[in-house]
Each structure stands twice: as C-alpha cells, then as structure tokens.
C-alpha cells in the first residue's frame, strides 16, 4: 500500500485536532435524596454545631415528603445535618448541588428564620445558599455567601396567596470557572437573582466536599423551622486523555483507509 505523505500528515493533523477538543462527558448523580425516609446515621450525620433538637424527621404533606427540622435554644446558630461520606473531587470537572427548601416562622411575629445548603470543602473553603424569611413580603434576604468574601443578597418574594411559605430552589455550580448560583421561584421559573465568584474554583475546595443542610436556631423562638424537599448532587468527570487519543487515532485510521480505497 502506498500512502500519500501529504494526506498522511493531514490525517495526523486531524487526529491531533480531535484529541485537543473537549469530549462531552455525561453528568453522574452521586447523591439523590428525595427524603422519602430519613434516619440519622445513614447518609447524614449531625453538623459540628449539632443536630436540631426539636424535630428531625420526614413528613408527608399529602403530596410530597420533606425533611422537617427545628431547634430551640438561647443562642442563634445554624444546626442541621451533613453527608457522612464526603464526595471526592478526584477526576471531577464540575459539581452541581440542586436543593429545594423553605424557611418558616410559624408564629408570624417577624423573627427571622432561615434554612440553607452549604458546600464544605476539605480545604476549608465553602459556599452557601441561604433562604431567610422574616415572614413579611418584600423583606426576604435570600443570599449567596462564600468563604472568599462574596455575599450577595436580594429581596424577592416567594409568597403564594395566603402565605409566604413557598419552596424555593437553589442550584450551586462549581467548576474550573468558579462558583455560581441560580435561584428559582416557587413555580419553578428562573429568578433574576444569581451570584458568581470566578475566584472560587473547584480546585479551591480541596480533594473532597461535604454537603450540609442547616436550619437557623433562633434564640428563644419556638417555631422557627426549615423544610427540605430534595437534594441532588451530580458531577461531571474530566475527559481522560487516553480516550481522547484513541478517538483521534481512530479518526486517523479511517482517514488513511478512505485514501487507500480511493
């Protein structure tokens, strides 16, 4: 077989180009928690501040189940649960944490209550999406906060007719471009509130992360609670160079075969 050298070099160039192109890698779900049931000590353990002391169980409201947590104490602090097994970031290109939650102050007396999801890195870096409800329309203080100093708040209401207790959804995306957050209204529509910190990349979080769900224990407040409807965590893997090289060599082989048949 005689192969035209010019054609061969073109094929090699094509193969190299293909190996340089990023491959589309599907996302893998590493945590899917609908809170159909809940037992502390299985997937979840208490956060360092301690588990909520009033209620920590799943509740079915007739249409869905959710985790219900609340605490009573003299000090205002976040208490809740976090994953027992850390999520490894080895070979991971991106991490997405998608949570539906709501805070509620059942007494309606204006005392702030809050619920949050936090991504806690092994390096000490963290990012948090906080839903805060003083139970008055227009006074919401939903926030994105991270260890790098970005703290963005907004006043967008999720109040449905007859109350302000609607769920809202937060999606935290962490990759090589940084950390960002998108917020969704109770009806599922995308809210204008978003946050981004390009300085806090996935590598900043270290080798692994924990996911924490927490409710703010309000000092001397009996009925400040947090409700968590679902948590989904997914990762996208870094394309392996070996696979990309094989794709390029395969393209080169097809190119040479095509020239030979001609």
């Amino acid at each position: 077989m005689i192969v035209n050298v010019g054609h061969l070099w073109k094929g090699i160039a094509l193969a190299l180009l293909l190996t340089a192109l990023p491959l589309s890698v599907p996302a893998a779900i590493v945590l899917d928690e609908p809170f159909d049931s809940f037992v502390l000590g299985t997937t979840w353990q208490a956060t360092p501040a301690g588990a909520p002391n009033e209620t920590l169980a799943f509740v079915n409201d007739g249409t869905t189940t959710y985790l219900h947590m609340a605490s009573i104490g003299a000090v205002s602090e976040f208490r809740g649960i976090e994953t027992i097994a850390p999520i490894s970031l080895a070979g991971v290109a991106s991490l997405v944490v998608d949570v539906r939650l709501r805070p509620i102050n059942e007494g309606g007396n204006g005392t702030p209550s809050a619920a949050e999801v936090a991504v806690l890195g092994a390096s000490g870096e963290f990012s948090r999406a906080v839903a805060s409800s003083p139970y008055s329309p227009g006074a919401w203080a939903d926030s994105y906060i991270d260890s790098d100093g970005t703290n963005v708040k907004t006043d967008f209401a999720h109040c449905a007719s007859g109350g302000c207790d609607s769920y809202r959804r937060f999606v935290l995306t962490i990759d090589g471009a940084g950390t960002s957050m998108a917020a969704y209204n109770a009806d599922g529509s995308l809210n204008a509130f978003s946050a981004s910190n390009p300085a806090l990349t996935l590598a900043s979080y270290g080798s692994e992360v924990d996911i924490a769900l927490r409710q703010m224990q309000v000092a001397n407040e009996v009925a400040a609670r947090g409700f968590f409807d679902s948590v989904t965590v997914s990762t996208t893997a870094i394309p392996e160079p070996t696979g990309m090289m094989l794709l390029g060599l395969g393209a080169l082989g097809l190119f040479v075969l095509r020239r030979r048949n001609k």
Side-chain angles (χ1 to χ4, degrees), residues 134-247:
Y135 210 84
S136 57
W140 301 87
D142 294 0
S143 313
Y144 164 83
I145 306 168
D146 64 36
S147 52
D148 193 54
T150 298
N151 186 343
V152 182
K153 294 186 178 182
T154 190
D155 291 335
F156 70 95
H158 298 263
C159 297
S161 176
C164 299
D165 304 331
S166 299
Y167 281 95
R168 71 287 313 270
R169 177 174 158 231
F170 295 101
V171 180
L172 289 162
T173 300
I174 308 170
D175 55 26
T179 300
S180 61
M181 188 197 72
Y184 292 81
N185 299 316
D187 62 4
S189 61
L190 182 66
N191 191 274
F193 174 44
S194 63
S196 177
N197 185 353
L200 195 60
T201 65
L202 189 66
S204 304
Y205 291 80
S207 60
E208 59 190 22
V209 295
D210 289 305
I211 308 301
L213 306 176
R214 298 188 286 217
Q215 173 267 336
M216 186 176 183
Q217 171 184 292
V218 182
N220 302 317
E221 174 60 42
V222 175
R225 308 175 189 274
F227 297 130
F228 299 86
D229 179 54
S230 63
V231 182
T232 303
V233 182
S234 58
T235 59
T236 301
I238 299 172
E240 295 184 8
T242 301
M244 296 173 70
M245 183 63 72
L246 287 175
L247 176 64

Side-chain angles (χ1 to χ4, degrees), residues 32-189:
D32 187 12
E33 177 63 90
F35 291 119
D36 290 333
S37 62
F38 181 80
V39 177
L40 193 65
T42 53
T43 302
W44 305 92
Q45 63 186 356
T47 58
N53 54 26
E54 182 184 323
T55 306
L56 189 57
F58 77 99
V59 178
N60 192 317
D61 63 2
T63 58
T64 188
T65 55
Y66 51 84
L67 182 69
H68 176 197
M69 63 172 73
S71 295
I72 302 172
V75 179
S76 294
E77 63 180 355
F78 277 99
R79 307 183 74 177
I81 57 176
E82 66 179 51
T83 48
I84 295 174
I87 297 170
S88 174
L89 298 182
V92 172
S94 65
L95 175 80
V96 177
V97 181
D98 188 330
V99 181
R100 286 188 77 236
L101 56 84
R102 69 171 178 173
I104 179 174
N105 183 313
E106 292 177 341
N109 59 6
T111 302
S113 60
E116 72 167 27
V117 54
V119 180
L120 311 174
S123 65
E125 302 284 8
F126 65 82
S127 53
R128 299 162 53 198
V130 185
S132 179
S133 167
Y135 210 84
S136 57
W140 301 87
D142 294 0
S143 313
Y144 164 83
I145 306 168
D146 64 36
S147 52
D148 193 54
T150 298
N151 186 343
V152 182
K153 294 186 178 182
T154 190
D155 291 335
F156 70 95
H158 298 263
C159 297
S161 176
C164 299
D165 304 331
S166 299
Y167 281 95
R168 71 287 313 270
R169 177 174 158 231
F170 295 101
V171 180
L172 289 162
T173 300
I174 308 170
D175 55 26
T179 300
S180 61
M181 188 197 72
Y184 292 81
N185 299 316
D187 62 4
S189 61

